Amino acid sequence: MGRPGAGWGDAALKVRRLAVIGVGLIGGSTALALKRAGSVERVVGIGRGRANLERALELGVVDEIATDAASGVEGADAVVVAVPVGQFDAVLRGIAPKLDADVLVTDGGSTKQDVIAVARPALGARWPRFVPAHPIAGAEHSGVDAARADLYDGRNVVLTPEPETAPDAVDRAESLWRQCGARVARMSAAEHDGVFAAVSHLPHVLAYALVAMIAQRDDAERLFGFAAGGFRDFTRIASSSPEMWRDIALANRDALLAEIDRYGAALTGMRALVAAGDGAALQQLFAQSRDARNAWLRRIEQGR
Amino acid sequence: MGRPGAGWGDAALKVRRLAVIGVGLIGGSTALALKRAGSVERVVGIGRGRANLERALELGVVDEIATDAASGVEGADAVVVAVPVGQFDAVLRGIAPKLDADVLVTDGGSTKQDVIAVARPALGARWPRFVPAHPIAGAEHSGVDAARADLYDGRNVVLTPEPETAPDAVDRAESLWRQCGARVARMSAAEHDGVFAAVSHLPHVLAYALVAMIAQRDDAERLFGFAAGGFRDFTRIASSSPEMWRDIALANRDALLAEIDRYGAALTGMRALVAAGDGAALQQLFAQSRDARNAWLRRIEQGR
């Protein structure tokens, strides 16, 4: 699990022609990071919106553009699929017949079991060339204007290869993401979805629920009027894309439901301590949280 | 409710001798802010820890120090009580006999009904001189080294005077906090505690509960290892002082329990949408949250 990335000086992989399908924050940053590393010769940006593609060209994120994915991937030795998960089926079916036999296909989806379930039949003979990936570098901003060459520096990218995935494709995917500046970890898709249900999907649901609960009240304006910095940071992720998080919540439904239930039990336990006026137990729990969080921050600062 | 503050150029109040009891983030910043405004001639810092007081002297936060509160407040025309709420009873009983007849006493406690319940008997004849206040400017950092002259700039301070509170004391308290750079609002203590249960106390409990739930799991290290920026911001307030938040949770117990229950109902509703796979309703709720939060941020940026 997880090895330290060698960083973008590692030139194990050279991409001749990279096709990026969906040139937004994730796809655009991947292109910029590989360009920074000198690891790619030419990038073709593929999407449905011509204005966004032209903006990507103008920003130097891509070198050429295509609105038809099938023709765009022709001749590419690496393809990064960075469209919303709901579009994977159509995109992968469209490109499968045009993919080179030894191509590497990887993606930027936040959930992995659902992506795999779609990709396996859609890619047909090219399925072993697909290395499912999740770069842990979201933001509440999106679009190609938010793309940055350093988005992945020091961040985790999780690969979730399946038994049929070609080992050389996995190695190339690992090299590609490491040259983007990321650390790369490998785990099963089920493990991945369980981990991120707890540390990412659940907090998003919790933040959305708090803001919605306050927004729906008659005194919402007054309540927001006295909300301060703690509230702002706690709810930052509630400014994330509703469409994207709807898809994630549904794609990872079972794991998310299990985490909501665990959290409900934890909150019920804390409520009981408040109701009982058990200051000692509350202080102990709060201190356990603070200490665990601070230890985690220290590990991050030390680069783990 | 809430009037725009005239800022610290407003010289309606001049404090000859300010006694700050508890020279930490709140007390120290109040002293620095009033000095910046030229609104105070001399500040005496009062506390139990001599080392912290000497640090405050060294930093220029206070001009003299005292470890005995009763003698420290003698001759003061304004007193700011910025100790943990659990110490109010002893502190107020100690200083009451030494307070000048026309003194202003105000405080920095995060809850108000409990402070009032303690202050009324403890202050005796000086009770009408006490103007309960809550400066909305906490931080997860504390201590005099965290004190800043600009801590209150543009922040809210809520005053919760009681029927017996002397009107001239309320006006002086309002002037004092406005000269610290704050906007001042007035409401009843019960209203105050209800508002902050929703927008501050509840989020703290929710953040503590999430971190504790994860820290208690066998795979905690792995989960923290993949937590990222969204988790970091969501849980920032879980690095707050366990002692302080234990006190707040217990002091505002009834309002907090009501908010935990409301939140539990909101979360149960969201869980049902996930379980039912109701993408349209989820997206609508998420969008409502995002839009409400973004509108709130715009109002803050525009200075309301």
Side-chain angles (χ1 to χ4, degrees):
Chain A
M1 240 205 55
R3 332 173 181 171
W8 50 276
D10 169 9
L13 166 129
K14 188 84 178 180
V15 177
R16 240 187 326 98
R17 185 175 172 81
L18 174 73
V20 175
I21 310 180
V23 191
L25 173 69
I26 296 295
S29 295
T30 307
L32 287 173
L34 290 175
K35 287 186 168 206
R36 178 187 66 173
S39 305
V40 63
E41 284 173 26
R42 197 160 177 82
V43 178
V44 52
I46 300 170
R48 292 184 302 190
R50 180 162 282 279
N52 183 67
L53 291 179
E54 279 167 1
R55 178 73 182 141
L57 205 52
E58 186 185 318
L59 291 168
V61 173
V62 302
D63 307 304
E64 58 185 273
I65 61 179
T67 51
D68 177 58
S71 57
V73 301
E74 278 191 277
D77 49 343
V79 177
V80 173
V81 183
V83 297
V85 171
Q87 300 173 25
F88 268 54
D89 188 50
V91 165
L92 296 181
R93 284 184 193 279
I95 64 172
K98 302 288 190 173
L99 291 171
D100 280 2
D102 59 354
V103 71
L104 162 66
V105 183
T106 187
D107 77 308
S110 304
T111 48
K112 297 273 62 91
Q113 289 174 103
D114 65 316
V115 162
I116 287 169
V118 163
R120 191 188 304 263
L123 284 170
R126 295 291 173 265
W127 158 246
R129 309 303 308 166
F130 177 60
V131 183
H134 176 197
I136 318 303
E140 73 269 39
H141 303 293
S142 56
V144 70
D145 284 289
R148 306 196 321 254
D150 64 355
L151 183 70
Y152 303 115
D153 285 359
R155 305 298 190 91
N156 285 302
V157 172
V158 180
L159 305 184
T160 64
E162 290 286 288
E164 309 89 338
T165 314
D168 74 291
V170 181
D171 290 343
R172 285 188 70 207
E174 174 154 344
S175 179
L176 182 149
W177 287 111
R178 285 172 71 187
Q179 284 171 71
C180 288
R183 308 158 190 277
V184 175
R186 298 183 191 184
M187 62 178 82
S188 75
E191 283 177 286
H192 168 278
D193 289 357
V195 165
F196 289 92
V199 301
S200 172
H201 310 168
L202 174 65
H204 277 79
V205 165
L206 297 179
Y208 277 130
L210 179 67
V211 180
M213 173 191 108
I214 290 185
Q216 286 164 6
R217 281 156 75 158
D218 292 340
D219 57 348
E221 199 179 337
R222 177 186 185 76
L223 293 173
F224 279 120
F226 290 99
F231 186 88
R232 186 189 61 234
D233 288 353
F234 183 90
T235 61
R236 179 177 66 80
I237 50 182
S239 285
S240 305
S241 158
E243 297 76 17
M244 176 177 161
W245 284 93
R246 170 203 63 198
D247 288 349
I248 290 173
L250 298 183
N252 201 19
R253 177 163 62 177
D254 294 343
L256 177 57
L257 289 175
E259 293 300 336
I260 292 174
D261 291 341
R262 274 183 207 254
Y263 185 79
L267 187 59
T268 300
M270 212 168 255
R271 185 201 189 283
L273 298 180
V274 175
D278 189 342
L282 275 178
Q283 183 179 346
Q284 195 183 356
L285 257 179
F286 291 173
Q288 181 184 30
S289 296
R290 179 199 56 185
D291 295 346
R293 182 174 187 277
N294 290 350
W296 167 63
L297 288 178
R298 280 194 300 276
R299 286 198 300 275
I300 291 179
E301 278 159 17
Q302 290 161 6
R304 285 185 196 116
Chain B
M1 242 203 56
R3 333 174 181 168
W8 49 276
D10 171 6
L13 167 128
K14 187 86 177 182
V15 177
R16 241 185 326 97
R17 183 176 173 81
L18 174 73
V20 175
I21 309 180
V23 190
L25 173 69
I26 296 295
S29 295
T30 307
L32 287 173
L34 290 176
K35 286 185 169 205
R36 177 186 68 173
S39 305
V40 62
E41 283 173 26
R42 196 159 178 84
V43 179
V44 53
I46 300 170
R48 291 184 304 190
R50 179 162 284 277
N52 183 67
L53 290 180
E54 279 166 2
R55 179 73 181 141
L57 205 53
E58 186 185 320
L59 291 168
V61 174
V62 302
D63 306 304
E64 58 186 276
I65 61 180
T67 52
D68 176 58
S71 58
V73 301
E74 278 190 277
D77 49 343
V79 177
V80 174
V81 183
V83 296
V85 171
Q87 299 172 26
F88 268 56
D89 187 50
V91 165
L92 296 181
R93 283 184 194 280
I95 64 173
K98 303 287 189 174
L99 292 171
D100 280 2
D102 59 352
V103 71
L104 162 67
V105 182
T106 187
D107 77 308
S110 302
T111 48
K112 297 272 63 90
Q113 289 174 103
D114 65 318
V115 162
I116 287 169
V118 163
R120 191 189 303 264
L123 284 170
R126 296 291 173 264
W127 157 247
R129 308 305 305 166
F130 177 59
V131 183
H134 176 198
I136 319 304
E140 73 271 38
H141 303 294
S142 56
V144 69
D145 284 290
R148 306 195 322 254
D150 64 355
L151 183 70
Y152 302 115
D153 285 359
R155 305 299 191 91
N156 284 303
V157 172
V158 180
L159 305 184
T160 64
E162 290 288 286
E164 308 89 337
T165 314
D168 75 291
V170 181
D171 289 344
R172 284 187 70 206
E174 174 155 343
S175 179
L176 182 150
W177 288 110
R178 286 171 70 186
Q179 284 172 68
C180 288
R183 307 159 190 276
V184 174
R186 298 184 191 185
M187 60 178 82
S188 75
E191 283 177 286
H192 168 278
D193 289 357
V195 165
F196 288 93
V199 301
S200 172
H201 310 168
L202 174 65
H204 277 78
V205 165
L206 297 179
Y208 277 130
L210 179 67
V211 180
M213 174 191 105
I214 290 185
Q216 286 164 6
R217 281 156 74 156
D218 292 341
D219 57 347
E221 199 178 338
R222 179 188 183 76
L223 293 174
F224 279 120
F226 290 99
F231 186 88
R232 188 190 59 235
D233 288 352
F234 183 90
T235 61
R236 180 176 66 79
I237 49 182
S239 285
S240 305
S241 158
E243 297 76 17
M244 178 176 159
W245 284 93
R246 170 203 64 197
D247 289 349
I248 290 173
L250 298 182
N252 201 19
R253 177 162 63 176
D254 293 344
L256 176 57
L257 289 174
E259 292 301 336
I260 292 175
D261 292 341
R262 274 181 207 254
Y263 184 79
L267 187 59
T268 299
M270 214 169 254
R271 186 202 188 283
L273 298 179
V274 176
D278 189 342
L282 274 179
Q283 183 180 345
Q284 194 183 357
L285 257 178
F286 292 173
Q288 182 184 29
S289 295
R290 179 198 58 184
D291 295 345
R293 182 174 186 277
N294 289 350
W296 167 62
L297 288 178
R298 280 195 300 276
R299 285 198 301 274
I300 290 178
E301 279 159 17
Q302 290 162 5
R304 286 188 195 116

